[in-house]
Amino acid sequence: MGHARKALRTTAVGAVSATLIAGSALGLAPAAQAADGIRFVDITGDGGTVLKANVITPAGADGSHRYPLLVLPTSWALPQVEYLARAQKLANSGYVVVSYNVRGFWQSGGEIEVAGPADTADASKVIDWALANTPADSRHIGMAGVSYGAGISLIAAAHDKRIKAVAALSGWADLIGSIYSGRTQHVQAAALLDGASLVTGRQDPEVRQVFNDFYASNLAKEQDLINWGKKRSPATYVDQLNKNGAAVMMANAWGDTIFPPNQYADFYEKLKGPKRLELRPGDHATAELTGLLGLPNDVWTDTGRWFDHYLKGADNGVDREQPVRLKSRSTGGYEGYPDWKSVAATERKIALGGTTTIHTNVDSGADGGIVFLSSILDQVAKLPPVASIPLLPRRWAAVWQSQRYGTAQQIRGTATLHTTVTPTKESGTLVAYLYDVGPLGLGKLVSNAPYTFHGRTPGKPFDLDLELFSTAYDVPAGHRLALVVDTVDPLYIEHNPSGAQLTFSSPADDPSYVSIPLRKQ
């Protein structure tokens, strides 16, 4: 666990620095655009907790006319000025906008509960206040937010029938499925959240204990952790959300290292009302960032269109467009699909033949990158994490490759790994990587995912089925795909006992493969 604690300390420092820089930028940029209509107010939240908020009303609002209301909870660790530039634009287009700092952060009272019941109740209290103190129309209420604000907005819409439309940007649907996928702790993501909140807020004692148990890999507390996360996951309340009928738009990035896109896609398929799913290149909240600064931005443009239709009744066509919109990491255009399952028209399997044994506890050089940095480089410069596939040490990495492709392969959706694993110890962790390999053997990371097991019988094989993180990536003609499996990645906490080995085999009656989802050519 020493390496995990070192990674935690390093990431926490970086997270705090990045958060403060981002907070300063968001605080300064909108200030120059501040209009006379902005009011900074105190709103009494659940249990009497004071929430710091700001209110912007349309120009010329005199109380004789009611306007649609938009409520914007702040992102994790960011101050209440986060949305000022965007809120001004929304107010100029005819909305009353109330943005509030969620409890436990900055100047708001209370303690951080991570989208707990008090946070849900706070959202309703803010709506109550807005209806009593602004020219807001009780029949036309929406909520939107980035990251933390997205999750709170979805959960609030499941509990408050007055919320008619939601835009959840870079949020989560399944909290545990996000930071504990494959039963593996996403340590850099957790450390970023933890470190930022320690600097900008006050953690509830229960939240502090959850972080401590998470880092300590306390299996005795695993079910408690899962139960805690379910209470804070919109997916838990999907039936209530469907019953209430709110129109839900969700947007996320392919490389989101805090809330991977798989959990949003799964949640989207369960929604029954009006819905929209947008996925773009980038990392957590990077696709929305320029919009927060008041600059042109696709995510926020679509958010405005979503609310204009479902709160104002504008016939802008957003309800007639293909509801699933994707932008590939390799190309610049958008693609539309009728639903998530239509994203991958076909699947092509790469056989993982033979028997391969690897040793654990050593990083082979195949990695998922660094939280935020790697996916931002991919977003801006199309430079994902790379590895020299021929040079990966086969003692610590299992490698399988496809044949060279004669035509481009447009990967869309979720690749899945199926194999048979025989461990020498009862516990272990492995990480699977899918690479686009060029003629010189340099592999560009397409996707990855971790998997951890406990309580297995040493020497007894078991089946492994693992979903890699969803993506949209074009493999050029003349390239091949490679699947690499190793046991150490700085993004995750690993659970490999010293001296452990993992053997991957492909029985004749149950062959191993990786299934690649492909767009219709």
Side-chain angles (χ1 to χ4, degrees):
M1 290 297 295
H3 62 279
R5 287 193 293 269
K6 182 178 179 181
L8 168 61
R9 289 193 298 270
T10 302
T11 306
V13 171
V16 171
S17 301
T19 299
L20 294 180
I21 291 170
S24 299
L26 293 173
L28 291 173
Q33 305 177 37
D36 293 337
I38 298 175
R39 289 188 292 144
F40 291 89
V41 300
D42 290 349
I43 297 177
T44 301
D46 185 56
T49 296
V50 175
L51 305 174
K52 296 295 182 177
N54 55 73
V55 184
I56 306 180
T57 55
D62 58 7
S64 62
H65 180 74
R66 292 286 168 180
Y67 300 89
L69 169 66
L70 293 180
V71 175
L72 311 178
T74 52
S75 301
W76 186 269
L78 289 186
Q80 62 161 310
V81 295
E82 174 187 4
Y83 299 111
L84 273 185
R86 183 50 50 181
Q88 180 64 67
K89 291 181 178 296
L90 289 166
N92 290 343
S93 64
Y95 293 92
V96 172
V97 185
V98 180
S99 174
Y100 70 97
N101 227 137
V102 292
R103 64 171 52 225
F105 283 107
W106 294 87
Q107 294 175 310
S108 284
E111 295 177 319
I112 301 166
E113 297 190 4
V114 191
D119 291 299
T120 304
D122 283 345
S124 293
K125 292 286 188 181
V126 171
I127 292 173
D128 293 342
W129 183 93
L131 295 178
N133 295 276
T134 74
D137 188 339
S138 62
R139 300 167 300 170
H140 304 288
I141 297 173
M143 283 192 70
V146 176
S147 184
Y148 196 39
I152 290 175
S153 295
L154 285 171
I155 296 173
H159 288 82
D160 194 325
K161 295 180 180 180
R162 296 175 297 179
I163 301 170
K164 303 302 182 184
V166 173
L169 315 178
S170 287
W172 76 94
D174 183 346
L175 188 57
I176 297 302
S178 296
I179 62 173
Y180 193 54
S181 72
R183 211 178 175 187
T184 308
Q185 294 97 327
H186 296 211
V187 66
Q188 287 191 12
L192 187 149
L193 297 171
D194 187 12
S197 67
L198 289 173
V199 171
T200 61
R202 302 162 302 281
Q203 293 180 355
D204 176 88
E206 182 184 23
V207 171
R208 181 67 261 156
Q209 189 60 50
V210 165
F211 274 118
N212 291 342
D213 292 339
F214 184 87
Y215 298 136
S217 305
N218 188 346
L219 288 179
K221 297 287 187 176
E222 183 180 39
Q223 192 58 52
D224 291 341
L225 172 69
I226 292 171
N227 293 339
W228 178 88
K230 283 184 176 180
K231 186 184 296 184
R232 291 157 171 81
S233 295
T236 301
Y237 310 105
V238 67
D239 290 342
Q240 293 173 236
L241 189 58
N242 286 332
K243 182 178 179 181
N244 289 349
V248 177
M249 170 183 157
M250 299 185 295
N252 203 351
W254 294 120
D256 195 319
T257 43
I258 298 180
F259 304 129
N262 300 47
Q263 44 91 37
Y264 248 17
D266 292 343
F267 181 66
Y268 174 84
E269 289 291 271
K270 297 174 183 176
L271 293 173
K272 304 300 183 184
K275 58 184 179 178
R276 185 180 180 96
L277 176 65
E278 302 185 352
L279 295 167
R280 300 173 174 85
D283 204 313
H284 185 65
T286 61
E288 298 88 1
L289 180 59
T290 56
L292 289 175
L293 299 175
L295 301 174
N297 180 276
D298 288 354
V299 185
W300 285 103
T301 295
D302 287 348
T303 295
R305 295 176 63 231
W306 190 253
F307 286 132
D308 285 349
H309 179 74
Y310 287 103
L311 296 184
K312 290 183 178 179
D315 185 15
N316 55 18
V318 72
D319 59 320
R320 296 187 295 274
E321 296 172 355
Q322 297 277 40
V324 176
R325 288 176 54 81
L326 312 180
K327 180 182 280 190
S328 169
R329 292 161 51 198
S330 309
T331 58
Y334 283 98
E335 303 164 5
Y337 301 88
D339 48 40
W340 176 250
K341 63 178 178 291
S342 299
V343 170
T346 61
E347 292 189 355
R348 175 173 292 176
K349 291 183 178 180
I350 300 173
L352 309 179
T355 299
T356 302
T357 298
I358 61 173
H359 296 253
T360 64
N361 306 115
V362 174
D363 189 339
S364 71
D367 285 326
I370 301 172
V371 64
F372 274 126
L373 178 60
S374 298
S375 292
I376 292 175
L377 284 173
D378 186 33
Q379 175 185 3
V380 174
K382 293 184 172 57
L383 293 175
V386 298
S388 176
I389 304 304
L391 297 182
L392 289 176
R394 274 28 178 196
R395 178 179 176 85
W396 295 296
V399 180
W400 298 268
Q401 296 191 72
S402 71
Q403 298 297 315
R404 296 187 190 278
Y405 295 113
T407 58
Q409 304 294 299
Q410 296 181 312
I411 299 175
R412 300 291 186 273
T414 309
T416 57
L417 167 65
H418 174 76
T419 189
T420 298
V421 183
T422 304
T424 59
K425 305 288 185 179
E426 66 171 13
S427 295
T429 296
L430 59 88
V431 185
Y433 310 89
L434 187 65
Y435 283 100
D436 161 23
V437 185
L440 299 180
L442 186 66
K444 294 183 178 180
L445 186 66
V446 177
S447 185
N448 78 100
Y451 179 85
T452 293
F453 59 89
H454 297 287
R456 294 290 180 178
T457 302
K460 182 178 180 180
F462 65 90
D463 291 341
L464 167 63
D465 290 286
L466 176 64
E467 285 191 349
L468 277 62
F469 299 136
S470 303
T471 194
Y473 183 97
D474 297 351
V475 180
H479 287 213
R480 65 179 75 202
L481 286 170
L483 182 81
V484 177
V485 179
D486 72 1
T487 63
V488 175
D489 189 311
L491 286 174
Y492 313 113
I493 290 179
E494 52 97 356
H495 300 265
N496 295 296
S498 179
Q501 298 178 30
L502 299 176
T503 296
F504 303 94
S505 58
S506 182
D509 60 346
D510 187 19
S512 296
Y513 61 85
V514 58
S515 181
I516 309 299
L518 298 175
R519 183 187 183 193
K520 184 177 181 180
Q521 300 297 313

